[in-house]
Structures are given as structure tokens and as C-alpha cells.
């Protein structure tokens, strides 16, 4: 049983004076738009009920205006909840006295913003040390911890620059370092990567996953991007009009969307039910022919280097799929002086049949480090499905 | 004919009311007003005697260094040459008195105006109450201040400085308020998210980021004080207003002329220096350090 770090129950935010008027209408089953028309009150978040496990990346997804930012800001009370409770490590945040709440913000939760929100008048290292300065830590120590945090995001050399001299991606790394320097157990990230262009964005996602490997934190990550949610989320909550309509693992949400709104994130029709694996498999990977020839691992490695590949798919004379090798396993095989590829094959890679519906291979796509190999009835290699192909198909259908 | 008589039946006795009000203040609160005078007097005398005491050469060197640090060598050279010229016009002492009055007025404008501006930036109610007052202060002709000031503080240089303080205060209040309100909401939110208290947010984030705007306010306040300090000669204040005023009274156009020229030159030097403090230079220096 995973430990529950954050427990949210009955959480509401109504914007505007006399929110009681809205509660009556909510009880009467009225929707956000109707309530706004009648009373001028905006329902930001309506009756949120969920918990977040320690160490997981919890993604909140939803369209613009669905209440994601409001929800996450109620966790550290940047926005004051209208009703409900937020328990963090068993303590009710909504009932905390102001100084207690500040301590929580200083030591346990830090936040990363879509707009970066760096201080333009401070250097990179001063920015990274900002939270530490606020909590009254002495200069020597905060300098050390800030440089440490900058090192973690690869920006140590830029410590003395000013934010405006950095690219967007680098600025957000500073934002990340500022949050990490606090060594928080919870990180709140409000569309932290949305302002970055796609390449930098996936780089930052990898960075986050890497940081998560080194030190498991509880991350609440807001996103409106399916790719991002699938890539980094352990669990995903989907919001619509202030309500949380579904919480689940990526597999759950993909396979059993709670309603049409949820499935509309996959552009209306769910292509995974329409396409089979064989429809989208591509022969984009390097293949090697298995034989007993001497020095074969060395030759294989050389070929992979030349084509700049990390993986190669090993087939026999009849195109039958035998396994996958990586440059790392080949290196090891060479060290062990092996003469064929048997010892270099990756464990746990099972090919999937071309007839399998696409939706059923999500767990393989997520789990395998390399693209998933696809075979036909005779066991012959048909190509692969990479994470990228898989997600693109979800969004756009097969080309 | 008929129309000019139309108002004869009834005239609102506002004139009497104001008279009564100010007299009442004078009768009942004279000690309090004298008490307000005291810190201004002490500060003014201190600055004035310092400026009168130091040799002009030393003053020019110090001025040059300040101008150079704040605004670069061109402004420094300009300042030194200009004030040397003023010295050779025979108005050095008057210029120093005027400068002392301006510095004193600006010091009090800063001490009173910046806290008011900060408070206005945090309270919409206070801001909306303050706004008409500042509007009135800025549009009231400078001369109108002089009468109540004379009644409450009598005549002389100190009274002149007090009139100047009131007259020159609005820009620094306005621009402090504006500067703080213009600080990006997201950096304020970020500070809050990292557990900053209100005063930490003010002094570590809002104030430093508002500083260029506040400096622009300081510049305007300084220019307004310079213009008022001259007018204050009408109520017996010393300084560069005196030759202008005397020249006007006795129709000595040359005397008024050199007084006027000195005021303009002093204004230009002060303007260049304080403007440079407010704009990019300040930030650039921050950056390269
Ligand atoms: N301070 C406020 N006053 C009034 N209404 C607000 C306020 N802040 C947010 N809202 C409203 O609450 C709802 C939820 O807003 P929120 O910012 O949480 O949405 P979001 O899901 O983060 O959207 P986005 O993707 O655009 O950031 C919206 O209808 C918004 O207009
Ligand atoms: Mg948002």
C-alpha cells in the first residue's frame, strides 16, 4: 500500500463575493456556466476528492479554464480554498496559522511556474538561492546549496549571469533549481514546461524524470498536453469545468475513459481501438542477421555506430525475430569475449503480434526502453512501434 | 449688464470660511506647526552650512565624482563647467543655499513620500483617497501655497522649504505607488510560494524592481522643488530666487537674467544626475558587478 502524501477532500473554490449562493446552485445540480450566469460567481474548483502518493508524479490535465491552476494553488494556499480540506502528511493545510503555513512553503513544498517567474534583478545563483534567503539561511550555506541545485540542472557555469541572458529552457532550469534548492518533499509544477518549444520541452521532461530517479519527490504536475502526461505521469487526473472527472494510471485513462470529454483528449475517436499494431509498425530500425561468425559482436557494434543507433533488432535467415541488442549489452559481450549475439540480447523484450489492437500494448510501449518489436503469425519481424509513433497515432490517427 | 448682476444676490462665503479655518488652525495649533518646522530647520541649516563652508574647488571635485559615478564622465564634465560658470557669475553662495533647500526638501519628500507611496500600493482604498489630494496638490498654483504657509510657519527660508516640500511631494508618492504596482504579479506570487513574508516581498522583490520608477519620481520631485524654491523667495526665502525677485522689483533685467540662468544651469545638472540614477545605468551597474 503506497503512502498517501497529500489527501484532498471536498475541496471547493468559488471566486466572487458571498460564495454560499453558488453552493446552493451546485447542490441543485447546476453547472459552472449556469452558476456564472445566475450569480456572477465563478466555480474554480468543485468538490475535488483525491489523494497523491508519496514519490509519484501526479499529472493534472484539462482544458484552459478547467481549474488546474486553482487546484494546485490551493495545495499551498496561494489561493484560499472556499471549503474542504487538504492534508499534507496528515496535517490540515487549510487550518494552518500563517507562520506555520510559511514554514510549510519554505521547507516542504516549492513551486515551478509556467512563466518562470525569476527575479530579474538577481543573478542566476541568487535566484536559485531565493527560497533559502527567504527562510533565513546564512549566505555561505545558501550559496553552496544553490550551486548544488544549479549543478543538478546543469547550469553551474551560468551562476553569475542574469536571467534575461538565458534562453527560455535555461531560465526554467533556474526555476527548477530554485525549487530543488529547498530540498522539498513536494514540488508543484504549473505548466512548468508549456512555454518551451517541443524539443527543449522533452529534454526538460527527461531532466525531471532523471531527478526523480535520483531523489524521489512527490510531484504535482499540471499540463494540458497528452504526450507530456503520458510520458511523465504515474497517475493522471482529468479536470473539466472545475470538477475532476477521472483519476487513474495512463493505462486506465486510455483504456477506460470515464466520458467523452476524457476521450476527446485523444481527438474524439480513440484510434487505439481502430488500429492494430501491424497497421502502424514501421521498419525504421537497424536489423542484424544472426550467425555464428567470429567477432560478430564487434562488427554489430561498428555497424550501429556508423548508423548512430542505440538498438538493433536481431533476425535469423528467415526474417524470424530473435531479440534486441543494445550498444551497452554488446560492449559487455565484447568484454566477455563472446563470439555471437546470444549473450547480448536484452532480457524481457517480448515481441507483440501484428494483430494485437493498439490499445493493448500501452504497457509495453511504456515499459520497454527500446521501440516494441512486432511480428506476424510466423514470427517474422514486421517492424517496430516507438513511443513517438504510438502517441502520434493516438492524437492524429495513422497516416 | 443683467448677467453680471445675476450672482449679486448670494455669494458663497468660501473666502471667509477659508480665512476662518486657517486662522483657527493658527490660533489653536501654532505650537504643533512650530514643532514641524524644527526638524526641517535643523536639516536645512546643517546642509546649508556644510555647503557654504566647503571650498568651491572641493565642492566641484565632489560633484564631479558623484556625477561621474552616477552618469558618466560627460555629465561630470558638464556639471563642473556649469557650476564654475555660476561661480563666476557671482552667485555661488546663492546657488549653494538653493541647493541646500532643494536637498533638504527632497530628503523630506523621500522620508514622507516613499512610505505613503508604499502604503498606497497596498491599499486600494488609501490610493483612491490619496489620488484627488495629489491631483489637487499638483494643480494648485505654486503661489497659492504661500499664504497659508506664511500664516502657519511665518516667513523665511524654512517656511519656503516647507512650502516646497508640500509642492514637490506628489510625484514621488505617485511613482512609488505605480512602481510597486507594476512589479510583475508572477514574481510576487513566486515569492509568496517560497514562504516570503509581506515585508520580505516588499524589500527583496517589489522595492528593488520598482526602484527605476521611484527614481524617476525622485527626479520629478527634485525638479519641482527647484522651481518652488525660487518662488519661495516671495516669502523671504534665500537663494537664487532673491536676485530674480530683486531684479523684478527694481527692473534690473541683468540681475534677474543671471539669477535665471543660474537656476536653469543648476536644474540641468541635477536633472542629468538624478535621471541617470533612475534609468538603465543603475541596472547596468548592477549587472556587471
Ligand atoms: N482570481 C480569479 N478571480 C475570478 N475568477 C478566476 C480567478 N482565477 C481563476 N478564475 C477562474 O477560475 C477558472 C479556473 O481557472 P484556472 O486558472 O484554474 O484554470 P486553468 O485550468 O489553470 O487554465 P489554463 O490552462 O488557462 O491555465 C476559470 O474559469 C477562471 O476564469
Ligand atoms: Mg493555469
Amino acid at each position: 500500500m503506497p503512502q498517501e502524501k497529500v489527501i484532498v477532500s471536498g475541496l471547493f473554490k468559488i471566486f466572487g463575493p458571498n460564495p454560499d449562493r453558488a453552493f446552493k446552485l451546485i447542490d441543485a445540480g447546476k453547472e459552472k456556466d449556469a452558476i456564472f450566469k445566475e450569480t456572477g460567481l465563478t466555480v474554480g474548483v468543485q468538490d475535488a476528492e483525491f489523494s497523491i502518493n508519496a514519490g509519484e508524479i501526479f499529472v493534472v490535465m484539462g482544458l484552459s479554464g478547467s481549474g488546474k491552476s486553482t487546484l494546485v494553488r490551493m495545495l499551498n494556499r496561494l489561493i484560499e480554498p472556499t471549503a474542504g480540506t487538504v492534508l499534507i502528511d496528515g496535517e490540515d493545510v487549510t487550518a494552518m496559522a500563517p507562520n506555520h503555513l510559511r514554514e510549510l512553503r519554505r521547507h516542504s513544498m516549492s513551486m515551478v511556474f509556467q512563466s518562470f517567474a525569476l527575479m530579474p534583478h538577481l543573478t542566476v545563483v541568487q535566484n536559485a538561492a531565493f527560497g533559502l534567503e527567504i527562510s533565513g539561511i546564512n549566505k555561505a550555506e545558501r550559496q553552496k546549496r544553490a550551486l548544488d541545485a544549479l549543478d543538478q540542472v546543469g547550469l553551474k557555469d551560468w551562476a553569475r549571469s542574469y536571467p534575461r541572458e538565458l534562453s527560455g529552457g535555461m531560465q526554467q532550469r533556474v526555476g527548477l533549481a530554485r525549487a530543488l534548492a529547498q530540498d522539498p518533499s513536494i514540488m508543484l509544477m504549473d505548466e512548468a514546461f508549456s512555454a518551451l518549444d517541443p524539443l527543449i520541452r522533452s529534454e526538460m521532461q527527461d531532466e525531471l524524470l532523471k531527478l526523480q530517479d535520483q531523489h524521489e519527490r512527490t510531484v504535482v504536475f499540471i499540463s494540458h498536453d497528452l504526450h507530456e502526461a503520458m510520458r511523465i505521469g504515474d497517475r493522471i487526473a482529468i479536470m473539466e469545468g472545475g470538477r475532476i472527472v477521472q483519476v487513474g494510471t495512463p493505462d486506465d485513462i486510455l483504456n477506460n475513459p470515464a466520458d467523452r470529454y476524457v476521450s476527446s483528449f485523444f481527438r474524439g475517436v480513440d484510434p487505439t481501438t481502430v488500429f492494430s499494431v501491424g497497421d502502424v509498425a514501421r521498419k525504421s530500425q537497424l536489423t542484424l542477421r544472426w550467425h555464428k561468425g567470429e567477432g560478430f559482436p564487434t562488427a554489430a557494434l561498428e555497424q550501429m555506430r556508423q548508423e548512430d543507433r542505440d538498438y538493433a533488432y536481431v533476425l535469423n535467415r528467415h526474417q524470424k525475430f530473435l531479440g534486441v541488442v543494445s550498444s551497452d549489452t554488446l560492449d559487455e559481450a565484447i568484454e566477455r569475449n563472446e563470439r555471437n549475439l546470444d549473450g547480448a540480447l536484452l532480457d524481457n523484450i517480448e515481441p507483440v503480434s501484428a494483430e494485437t489492437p493498439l490499445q493493448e500494448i500501452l504497457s509495453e510501449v511504456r515499459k520497454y526502453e527500446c521501440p516494441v518489436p512486432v511480428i506476424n503469425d510466423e514470427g517474422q519481424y514486421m517492424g517496430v512501434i516507438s513511443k513517438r509513433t504510438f502517441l502520434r497515432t493516438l492524437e492524429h490517427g495513422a497516416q | 449688464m443683467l448677467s453680471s448682476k445675476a450672482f449679486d444676490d448670494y455669494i458663497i462665503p468660501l473666502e471667509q470660511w477659508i480665512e476662518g479655518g486657517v486662522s483657527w488652525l493658527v490660533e489653536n495649533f501654532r505650537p504643533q506647526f512650530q514643532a514641524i518646522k524644527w526638524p526641517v530647520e535643523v536639516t536645512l541649516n546643517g546642509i546649508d552650512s556644510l555647503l557654504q563652508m566647503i571650498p568651491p574647488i572641493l565642492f566641484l571635485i565632489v560633484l564631479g565624482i558623484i556625477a561621474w559615478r552616477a552618469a558618466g564622465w560627460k555629465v561630470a564634465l558638464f556639471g563642473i563647467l556649469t557650476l564654475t560658470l555660476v561661480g563666476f557669475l557671482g552667485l555661488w553662495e546663492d546657488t549653494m543655499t538653493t541647493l541646500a533647500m532643494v536637498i533638504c526638501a527632497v530628503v523630506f519628500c523621500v522620508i514622507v513620500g516613499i512610505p505613503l507611496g508604499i502604503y498606497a500600493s497596498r491599499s486600494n482604498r488609501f490610493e483612491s483617497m490619496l489620488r484627488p489630494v495629489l491631483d489637487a496638490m499638483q494643480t494648485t498654483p505654486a503661489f497659492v501655497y504661500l499664504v497659508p504657509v506664511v500664516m502657519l510657519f511665518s516667513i523665511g527660508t524654512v517656511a519656503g522649504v516647507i512650502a516646497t516640500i508640500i509642492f514637490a511631494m506628489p510625484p514621488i508618492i505617485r511613482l512609488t505607488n505605480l512602481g510597486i504596482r507594476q512589479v510583475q504579479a508572477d514574481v510576487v506570487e513566486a515569492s509568496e510560494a517560497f514562504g516570503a513574508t509581506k515585508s520580505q516581498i516588499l524589500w527583496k522583490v517589489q522595492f528593488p524592481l520598482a526602484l527605476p520608477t521611484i527614481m524617476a519620481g525622485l527626479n520629478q520631485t527634485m525638479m519641482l522643488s527647484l522651481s518652488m524654491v525660487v518662488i519661495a523667495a516671495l516669502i523671504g526665502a534665500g537663494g537664487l530666487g532673491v536676485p530674480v525677485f530683486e531684479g523684478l522689483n527694481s527692473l534690473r533685467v541683468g540681475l534677474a537674467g543671471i539669477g535665471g540662468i543660474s537656476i536653469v544651469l543648476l536644474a540641468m545638472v541635477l536633472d542629468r544626475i538624478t535621471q541617470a540614477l533612475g534609468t538603465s545605468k543603475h541596472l547596468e551597474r548592477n549587472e556587471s558587478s
Side-chain angles (χ1 to χ4, degrees):
Chain A
M1 194 54 200
Q3 189 206 341
E4 289 178 333
K5 181 87 183 165
V6 181
I7 303 174
V8 171
S9 55
L11 198 61
F12 282 88
K13 178 68 199 183
I14 315 284
F15 291 104
N18 299 330
D20 287 346
R21 293 176 292 153
F23 283 119
K24 285 202 196 95
L25 296 177
I26 289 172
D27 289 342
K30 292 265 170 72
E31 295 273 321
K32 176 176 170 160
D33 291 340
I35 294 173
F36 182 76
K37 259 200 202 118
E38 218 163 298
T39 62
L41 298 168
T42 306
V43 180
V45 170
Q46 178 179 335
D47 203 11
E49 191 93 35
F50 61 91
S51 58
I52 303 172
N53 300 324
E56 78 175 338
I57 299 186
F58 187 84
V59 178
V60 181
M61 259 179 81
L63 297 178
S64 186
S66 58
K68 308 179 296 290
S69 297
T70 307
L71 179 69
V72 76
R73 278 167 177 72
M74 285 197 285
L75 301 183
N76 63 357
R77 262 176 71 193
L78 283 180
I79 291 180
E80 206 59 57
T82 312
T85 56
V86 176
L87 299 184
I88 291 181
D89 293 326
E91 259 189 297
D92 187 358
V93 177
T94 55
M96 276 183 187
N99 57 343
H100 194 166
L101 178 65
R102 272 199 300 275
E103 287 308 303
L104 180 83
R105 289 175 181 172
R106 286 175 180 183
H107 302 298
S108 310
M109 1 174 49
S110 44
M111 196 158 176
V112 183
F113 298 84
Q114 177 174 8
S115 62
F116 317 145
L118 300 177
M119 310 295 160
H121 62 300
L122 300 179
T123 60
V124 164
V125 64
Q126 286 168 337
N127 264 290
F130 182 80
L132 302 170
E133 187 183 346
I134 291 297
S135 29
I137 287 167
N138 71 49
K139 188 156 187 208
E141 177 169 359
R142 65 177 194 249
Q143 181 84 4
K144 186 179 150 288
R145 280 172 63 180
L147 282 174
D148 238 32
L150 285 175
D151 201 22
Q152 286 182 57
V153 298
L155 276 186
K156 207 172 179 178
D157 295 340
W158 295 82
R160 291 165 67 83
S161 310
Y162 278 82
R164 86 199 73 157
E165 298 162 9
L166 271 50
S167 68
M170 287 158 86
Q171 289 188 28
Q172 192 56 303
R173 280 168 199 265
V174 179
L176 201 53
R178 176 172 65 181
L180 290 171
Q182 306 286 93
D183 198 18
S185 56
I186 301 177
M187 297 232 283
L188 307 176
M189 307 182 71
D190 188 357
E191 305 215 18
F193 305 150
S194 300
L196 307 173
D197 59 51
L199 219 65
I200 308 292
R201 192 162 169 180
S202 65
E203 214 177 285
M204 291 295 286
Q205 291 160 0
D206 292 341
E207 187 86 42
L208 179 68
L209 293 174
K210 197 186 83 195
L211 290 167
Q212 225 22 34
D213 275 347
Q214 291 160 2
H215 188 142
E216 239 176 43
R217 295 187 165 88
T218 307
V219 179
V220 184
F221 194 104
I222 291 183
S223 177
H224 56 227
D225 173 13
L226 176 69
H227 273 111
E228 191 165 70
M230 303 283 267
R231 261 190 96 178
I232 65 174
D234 293 312
R235 284 192 308 145
I236 300 176
I238 299 203
M239 290 191 78
E240 178 193 12
R243 288 174 309 124
I244 295 184
V245 290
Q246 189 169 13
V247 181
T249 61
D251 301 36
D252 289 345
I253 287 184
L254 203 58
N255 290 327
N256 311 301
D259 58 21
R260 290 209 18 224
Y261 175 79
V262 176
S263 46
S264 75
F265 273 100
F266 319 115
R267 300 284 152 94
V269 208
D270 184 353
T272 55
T273 57
V274 181
F275 296 113
S276 69
V277 167
D279 293 330
V280 287
R282 300 237 185 110
K283 290 197 171 165
S284 56
Q285 301 293 310
L286 178 66
T287 54
L288 301 170
R289 279 279 285 286
W290 190 94
H291 59 82
K292 289 184 189 155
E294 222 159 88
F296 185 48
T298 325
L301 193 60
E302 185 51 35
Q303 200 179 344
M304 283 167 70
R305 281 213 181 109
Q306 269 173 19
E307 301 208 12
D308 196 22
R309 305 288 183 134
D310 292 323
Y311 299 100
Y313 291 72
V314 185
L315 315 178
N316 73 4
R317 273 187 301 154
H318 309 292
Q319 296 290 313
K320 262 187 79 165
F321 175 80
L322 298 177
V324 184
V325 294
S326 77
S327 45
D328 292 341
T329 57
L330 283 174
D331 271 335
E332 288 159 18
I334 293 167
E335 249 166 54
R336 292 192 301 262
N337 270 324
E338 289 177 3
R339 300 257 169 88
N340 62 42
L341 292 177
D342 286 347
L345 294 180
L346 295 175
D347 296 334
N348 308 325
I349 303 274
E350 286 294 326
V352 297
S353 151
E355 254 101 274
T356 322
L358 199 55
Q359 62 177 2
E360 283 172 23
I361 67 156
L362 174 64
S363 64
E364 281 87 353
V365 171
R366 279 172 59 83
K367 209 166 60 198
Y368 290 0
E369 50 182 307
C370 59
V372 179
V374 179
I375 54 172
N376 66 9
D377 289 347
E378 275 102 60
Q380 285 170 325
Y381 175 73
M382 302 294 293
V384 297
I385 292 181
S386 66
K387 287 193 178 66
R388 189 176 300 250
T389 324
F390 183 76
L391 287 170
R392 189 178 299 140
T393 313
L394 289 189
E395 284 206 79
H396 306 292
Q399 280 89 353
Chain B
M1 273 288 124
L2 207 106
S3 62
S4 75
K5 290 230 161 81
F7 297 113
D8 283 359
D9 289 344
Y10 180 70
I11 298 290
I12 303 172
L14 183 61
E15 187 184 334
Q16 284 85 339
W17 292 348
I18 294 175
E19 292 243 18
V22 174
S23 311
W24 179 79
L25 279 177
V26 172
E27 273 158 37
N28 294 291
F29 292 98
R30 196 157 172 100
Q32 282 83 344
F33 283 105
Q34 292 299 319
I36 295 177
K37 227 173 133 171
W38 181 76
V40 178
E41 188 164 7
V42 172
T43 313
L44 178 67
N45 289 343
I47 301 172
D48 192 34
S49 37
L50 178 75
L51 290 181
Q52 300 293 355
M53 194 182 66
I54 58 172
I57 294 290
L58 184 61
F59 177 87
L60 289 173
I61 292 172
V62 173
L63 176 88
I65 291 173
I66 292 173
W68 173 57
R69 297 287 303 172
W73 65 270
K74 279 186 192 158
V75 175
L77 190 67
F78 174 74
I80 291 172
L81 289 179
T82 317
L83 286 191
T84 309
L85 176 65
V86 169
F88 283 119
L89 290 177
L91 291 177
W92 183 264
E93 273 175 32
D94 284 337
T95 305
M96 289 302 108
T97 301
T98 293
L99 187 59
M101 289 170 74
V102 167
I103 292 174
C104 180
V106 168
V107 165
F108 280 93
C109 284
V110 166
I111 291 174
V112 179
I114 289 184
L116 285 178
I118 290 172
Y119 187 56
S121 73
R122 298 180 156 204
S123 157
N124 288 335
R125 252 189 74 200
F126 182 65
E127 191 203 24
S128 58
M129 276 163 30
L130 195 63
R131 178 162 298 188
V133 177
L134 294 182
D135 286 342
M137 280 167 82
Q138 272 186 308
T139 46
T140 306
F143 293 97
V144 177
Y145 283 100
L146 298 177
V147 184
V149 165
V150 169
M151 291 180 73
L152 295 169
F153 299 100
S154 73
I155 57 166
T157 307
V158 178
V161 171
I162 290 173
T164 307
I165 293 170
I166 298 167
F167 180 74
M169 182 96 69
I172 191 126
I173 301 178
R174 261 186 217 284
L175 287 168
T176 301
N177 173 38
L178 180 72
I180 290 177
R181 283 177 183 264
Q182 273 178 342
V183 169
Q184 295 258 327
D186 63 347
V187 299
V188 174
E189 187 185 42
S191 321
E192 241 178 295
F194 282 93
T197 60
K198 283 209 150 183
S199 79
Q200 283 177 321
I201 296 177
L202 178 64
W203 294 115
K204 289 183 190 298
V205 181
Q206 291 174 309
F207 196 81
L209 288 174
L211 201 57
T213 311
I214 295 174
M215 283 298 179
L218 184 86
N219 173 268
Q220 287 182 21
T221 286
M222 181 167 268
M223 292 301 107
L224 283 182
S225 358
L226 193 62
S227 67
M228 188 64 187
V229 138
V230 174
I231 292 168
L234 284 173
I235 59 168
L240 288 172
V242 176
V244 177
F245 192 47
E246 270 176 16
L248 186 67
N249 275 345
S250 52
L251 284 182
R252 285 163 62 192
V253 76
L255 183 63
I258 56 170
I261 289 171
S262 303
I263 292 163
V264 171
L265 293 177
L266 183 63
M268 284 168 78
V269 174
L270 293 179
D271 184 42
R272 295 284 149 80
I273 297 174
T274 52
Q275 224 171 45
L277 281 179
T279 52
S280 54
K281 276 287 183 301
H282 178 81
L283 284 178
E284 270 166 29
R285 256 194 306 138
N286 248 350
E287 255 171 56
S288 56
S289 64

